[in-house]
Amino acid sequence: MGKTNTLISRISIIFLSIICTFAVLELLGRKILPKPQTIAIENLHVGPTGNGPVLDKIGLSAPDIFYRTPTGLRLRPNVRGIIDGHDLSKKRVSFSTNSLGYRHEELRFKTDTDVRILAVGDSITFQEYLPLEETYPFQVEKYIREHPPASLTGKQVDVINAGVGMIGSENELAILMETGLSVRPDIVLVEMYLNDARESFSLKLIKTPPLLQKSYLINSLVHTVNILRAKQLEHQKTNEEVNREGVHFITVNPIDRISSASWQTSKPAFNRLIAEYFQDWGYAWSDTHWKKMEEVFRLMKELSIEHKFQLVVALFPVRYQVESAILEDWPGQQFSLLMNKLNITHIDLLPILRKKFNDDTINLYYDSAHPTASGSAFIGSEIGKFFIENNIL
């Protein structure tokens, strides 16, 4: 009996020690770690369900906002909510969708005085990590309204955000055909990123247990594990597979030892990045990527002629291209060739963003793809300026 009591006492001491250690670490964590992201959804109108909620299959922590359809991922219509302490921006963001599942107010009947620009794209356009007024589509509208050309006298410009996170160009075409044409756009602005030839990879997230969701320490650990798993998935193609894809850079030797930090000044190091991120933006250095893009944009061009809207495509670079001292613009060259071949109005943002970064060295990105609020404001103003200077409006 005495041995049993001693054993229970030791287990109790160990258990209390663990609890006390966790409490101390949690207190320290609340001093140095960011507040965990929380999401409150209200007025959830389920609408079409497809295969049901996909929170556990994609990388955006927003319960029931998405559903799958036979043609890809969509935002649920008529959703309102608040994302507090977003993992990317750390901001408190109010979020809502209209009856079409767009991040925009409900659209009224279009009149002759309305000029509508429909912005389609992935998470770079959707930008749920920023308040609506800080997103680049909103900033395009703001710039045009503040610098209206004579052609807009007596008219009102409305930029409609139809972006959906983690989709590819084929999915964007489907959105345009299914709901986009119904808003009778005068201009369709397509945001093209370097991984758009394929739907973004999916990742089943590890979730924080409900009882521990308010813990800074546990949430930070879970978030870190998810990021590491995502990076592993991004890098899963072997060098041999990359080299078979017709990638336009020097063949990567798997035994090369190149510092990842030297991509800013070393072409071999930048080539290594392309190979490592081939599952994501590195795919744009392959011939396969541009063959797929030609198929999609040929259909978009045909739609623009049939439904009488102006098609404009903006190419968004990866952050590494913007900040490297070496100009790595092979995708931009292919982009221009393709757009000219199809007679599509286009803008390559790489030279504009490189000049901006070289002028003031201010960071414009939260990660490798998603612009900050200031980056979005700059991009929005440049696209708005492009519209006006090229008489698109």
Side-chain angles (χ1 to χ4, degrees):
M1 188 67 177
K3 289 183 178 180
T4 302
N5 289 336
T6 300
L7 180 61
I8 292 174
S9 296
R10 288 178 177 175
I11 292 173
S12 299
I13 291 171
I14 292 171
F15 181 74
L16 288 173
S17 298
I18 293 172
I19 294 296
C20 290
T21 300
F22 178 82
V24 170
L25 291 175
E26 178 66 23
L27 288 173
L28 290 173
R30 289 175 181 263
K31 295 285 187 182
I32 61 176
L33 295 175
K35 182 181 179 181
Q37 172 179 292
T38 60
I39 302 170
I41 301 296
E42 56 185 63
N43 190 35
L44 180 61
H45 293 245
V46 174
T49 57
N51 292 330
V54 292
L55 170 65
D56 62 337
K57 300 177 184 176
I58 61 176
L60 180 65
S61 300
D64 294 331
I65 286 178
F66 295 94
Y67 67 97
R68 287 202 181 275
T69 75
T71 55
L73 203 63
R74 299 290 182 273
L75 286 174
R76 292 189 185 278
N78 302 315
V79 171
R80 294 197 306 268
I82 294 175
I83 304 175
D84 192 10
H86 193 285
D87 285 337
L88 203 59
S89 65
K90 312 307 177 188
K91 293 189 176 188
R92 178 181 174 87
V93 181
S94 295
F95 173 87
S96 64
T97 61
N98 64 15
S99 60
L100 294 174
Y102 296 166
R103 194 180 181 195
H104 193 276
E105 63 187 15
E106 196 63 30
L107 292 164
R108 57 182 174 78
F109 180 78
K110 185 184 179 185
T111 69
D112 292 338
T113 62
D114 293 316
V115 176
R116 288 181 174 172
I117 301 173
L118 181 69
V120 297
D122 54 19
S123 58
I124 296 172
T125 296
F126 176 38
Q127 291 193 289
E128 91 296 336
Y129 59 89
L130 291 176
L132 183 63
E133 63 274 12
E134 294 181 358
T135 61
Y136 91 79
F138 188 95
Q139 292 295 321
V140 172
E141 178 183 305
K142 179 182 177 183
Y143 184 90
I144 294 171
R145 289 190 176 190
E146 291 176 351
H147 306 83
S151 59
L152 289 182
T153 301
K155 296 184 178 181
Q156 177 173 305
V157 172
D158 192 10
V159 179
I160 303 163
N161 189 334
V164 178
M166 304 194 79
I167 63 173
S169 57
E170 291 181 351
N171 208 330
E172 292 162 12
L173 173 61
I175 290 172
L176 175 59
M177 296 176 67
E178 293 166 3
T179 56
L181 296 176
S182 70
V183 309
R184 297 170 57 201
D186 299 284
I187 300 167
V188 172
L189 171 62
V190 181
E191 166 255 310
M192 179 181 169
Y193 183 56
L194 302 183
N195 64 1
D196 277 359
R198 69 174 101 206
E199 185 171 320
S200 299
F201 63 85
S202 298
L203 174 67
K204 187 175 179 65
L205 297 176
I206 297 174
K207 298 180 184 179
T208 307
L211 293 177
L212 298 174
Q213 285 180 353
K214 293 186 178 180
S215 168
Y216 283 43
L217 181 63
I218 297 299
N219 272 282
S220 180
L221 290 173
V222 169
H223 184 58
T224 300
V225 169
N226 282 329
I227 288 175
L228 292 174
R229 292 174 64 236
K231 286 185 179 296
Q232 182 182 20
L233 185 60
E234 284 178 339
H235 301 170
Q236 68 184 13
K237 259 189 182 287
T238 66
N239 289 303
E240 289 77 12
E241 288 175 309
V242 170
N243 291 326
R244 284 199 302 267
E245 285 277 0
V247 180
H248 287 264
F249 59 90
I250 299 171
T251 301
V252 175
N253 187 335
I255 64 172
D256 285 348
R257 299 300 179 196
I258 302 172
S259 169
S260 60
S262 62
W263 58 264
Q264 292 161 311
T265 56
S266 166
K267 187 171 180 60
F270 201 100
N271 291 343
R272 168 62 67 182
L273 275 181
I274 294 170
E276 288 181 355
Y277 288 92
F278 191 79
Q279 284 291 87
D280 190 24
W281 56 267
Y283 192 47
W285 270 260
S286 71
D287 290 324
T288 307
H289 175 279
W290 294 100
K291 290 176 182 176
K292 291 181 178 179
M293 297 310 296
E294 180 171 354
E295 295 172 5
V296 172
F297 281 110
R298 191 179 297 280
L299 291 172
M300 284 192 181
K301 179 63 178 181
E302 292 173 0
L303 278 178
S304 72
I305 296 171
E306 180 182 354
H307 294 273
K308 297 179 173 59
F309 62 80
Q310 173 81 38
L311 179 61
V312 181
V313 184
L315 179 63
F316 282 63
V318 69
R319 177 179 181 176
Y320 300 110
Q321 289 177 285
V322 174
E323 298 181 4
S324 175
I326 302 167
L327 178 60
E328 290 287 350
D329 65 343
W330 190 84
Q333 296 173 34
Q334 304 311 301
F335 171 73
S336 294
L337 288 172
L338 176 58
M339 295 297 108
N340 289 332
K341 178 180 179 179
L342 299 177
N343 194 26
I344 295 174
T345 303
H346 58 282
I347 175 174
D348 182 356
L349 293 170
L350 176 59
I352 298 170
L353 290 170
R354 279 178 64 85
K355 183 179 185 305
K356 171 70 172 172
F357 182 75
N358 289 332
D359 286 346
D360 55 29
T361 65
I362 295 175
N363 173 36
L364 301 173
Y365 291 88
Y366 284 118
D367 54 14
S368 63
H370 299 93
T372 61
S374 59
S376 296
F378 177 73
I379 289 169
S381 65
E382 289 298 315
I383 294 176
K385 188 186 304 180
F386 176 79
F387 279 7
I388 294 170
E389 291 178 350
N390 289 271
N391 300 313
I392 295 171
L393 295 161

